[in-house]
Amino acid sequence: RKEVEQDPGPFNVPEGATVAFNCTYSNSASQSFFWYRQDCRKEPKLLMSVYSSGNEDGRFTAQLNRASQYISLLIRDSKLSDSATYLCVVKSGDNFNKFYFGSGTKLNVKP
Amino acid sequence: EAQVTQNPRYLITVTGKKLTVTCSQNMNHEYMSWYRQDPGLGLRQIYYSMNVEVTDKGDVPEGYKVSRKEKRNFPLILESPSPNQTSLYFCASSLSGTGRTNYGYTFGSGTRLTVV
């Protein structure tokens, strides 16, 4: 079983739509969680960290559900520029500093 | 500007010709790592380093070597490249942290390697 699993998509949505991605992780001891955005052929860039109480950054909201071991990303009022692949990243909770990456969910926002 | 710098950005080489991809970070990060990204397989860790002179294998280390003689540099060495090492490579760094620290990665811009 993969450490981190995501639906690869693609999610094709119209501009202005609200879209949500989920990601599940297998290690219950995981401590740190992130969403990264990756544009085609570019490096992944940190979109936001995910905190236990949930957090929001503009149109983006991230949630963590430790009991069910999943994290989510909600994008409201989608823009064309939101088209990208979104990577779920989980960091192990010990001294190992091991990051586990999901394969990514592709989002296409259409006019 | 805080960044991770990889060179070269693009490289085409022939099977068996040793090559080095350089990686340097200016953020005083302890933790550095190399990944390769292939279609359908996502990011896979090759090697990582917790600090100077401390390196360890990731998930796909075969055919690669690394060194960490200085904190800022973490070169990736392919002693005898083969076509199956054709891939997009990323170097990344992070502050070292334990427990609930939310230190994420900063990635370099990537190196697209083709081995023919």
Side-chain angles (χ1 to χ4, degrees):
Chain A
R1 184 186 172 187
K2 288 184 181 178
E3 295 282 345
V4 179
E5 302 219 42
Q6 292 182 251
D7 181 343
F11 284 53
N12 298 308
V13 303
E15 263 186 301
T18 295
V19 61
F21 309 134
N22 282 338
C23 158
T24 58
Y25 60 95
S26 60
N27 184 352
S28 60
S30 299
Q31 298 286 0
S32 301
F33 309 89
F34 309 89
W35 282 103
Y36 275 74
R37 172 196 168 123
Q38 186 174 24
D39 294 292
C40 189
R41 298 173 183 267
K42 297 283 185 68
E43 74 273 25
K45 291 187 177 175
L46 180 64
L47 179 66
M48 57 198 303
S49 301
V50 186
Y51 299 105
S52 296
S53 54
N55 48 298
E56 190 173 302
D57 183 2
R59 298 181 293 109
F60 299 84
T61 301
Q63 297 277 355
L64 168 63
N65 185 319
R66 286 190 183 272
S68 301
Q69 293 181 210
Y70 77 82
I71 68 174
S72 64
L73 177 68
L74 182 78
I75 305 175
R76 289 181 299 279
D77 189 24
S78 301
K79 311 289 184 193
L80 295 176
S81 57
D82 293 334
S83 297
T85 296
Y86 290 84
L87 303 172
C88 171
V89 183
V90 174
K91 188 169 153 186
S92 69
D94 53 23
N95 292 336
F96 207 54
N97 271 289
K98 175 81 172 176
F99 288 81
Y100 295 95
F101 286 81
S103 298
T105 298
K106 188 166 175 55
L107 172 66
N108 295 317
V109 181
K110 310 283 190 185
Chain B
E1 182 189 350
Q3 59 185 0
V4 177
T5 303
Q6 281 180 243
N7 280 298
R9 291 292 306 277
Y10 302 92
L11 179 60
I12 300 174
T13 190
V14 296
T15 298
K17 185 177 181 182
K18 181 180 178 180
L19 66 91
T20 299
V21 184
T22 63
C23 174
S24 181
Q25 51 92 4
N26 62 1
M27 297 167 281
N28 203 35
H29 285 171
E30 296 91 357
Y31 188 80
M32 296 185 75
S33 186
W34 276 102
Y35 288 85
R36 61 178 289 174
Q37 189 173 37
D38 303 287
L41 296 176
L43 281 157
R44 294 182 292 168
Q45 191 177 46
I46 302 170
Y47 268 94
Y48 65 94
S49 169
M50 300 285 283
N51 214 322
V52 176
E53 301 292 1
V54 181
T55 64
D56 210 343
K57 296 177 181 179
D59 301 312
V60 288
E62 295 77 21
Y64 304 94
K65 285 173 59 175
V66 292
S67 69
R68 188 91 182 273
K69 293 185 171 55
E70 306 161 281
K71 198 170 187 179
R72 61 184 293 125
N73 295 324
F74 190 45
L76 179 70
I77 302 154
L78 285 72
E79 294 272 2
S80 182
S82 62
N84 66 10
Q85 292 178 297
T86 293
S87 187
L88 177 58
Y89 291 86
F90 289 107
C91 180
S93 73
S94 171
L95 278 169
S96 205
T98 59
R100 295 179 183 274
T101 51
N102 270 39
Y103 297 130
Y105 264 140
T106 300
F107 282 86
S109 300
T111 296
R112 187 164 291 279
L113 172 66
T114 302
V115 184
V116 297

